Amino acid sequence: MKISVVRQEDYRINEIPKSTILEKSSEHVPNVGDIIKVGHTLNGFEAFKVDNRVFRSKVTKAEDDTAFHEVVLLVSELEK
């Protein structure tokens, strides 16, 4: 399943997310309240808290047993 991380203030329900922080494929979907760490450099990393989840599905053939194809995680930045 595709996981997309988007800032909550940038997300619009009727639009495809344009400014994603991170996109990856995973079977694990973080819960509301979980902390997500993005990146790792000498300066550290960015940390976000999951505020909400939006499950998106695509119209597919009947043989496809996957209920959802993408989860958009709406996050807010943690204070440093």
Side-chain angles (χ1 to χ4, degrees), residues 32-72:
V32 173
D34 284 354
I35 306 298
I36 297 174
K37 179 177 83 168
V38 177
H40 184 71
T41 64
L42 293 175
N43 296 330
F45 54 86
E46 290 183 282
F48 299 94
K49 183 180 88 162
V50 178
D51 293 328
N52 213 337
R53 303 184 299 179
V54 178
F55 291 85
R56 299 181 68 178
S57 61
K58 298 177 186 174
V59 178
T60 59
K61 298 178 183 177
E63 301 91 41
D64 190 2
D65 61 349
T66 306
F68 299 102
H69 292 88
E70 180 181 11
V71 178
V72 180

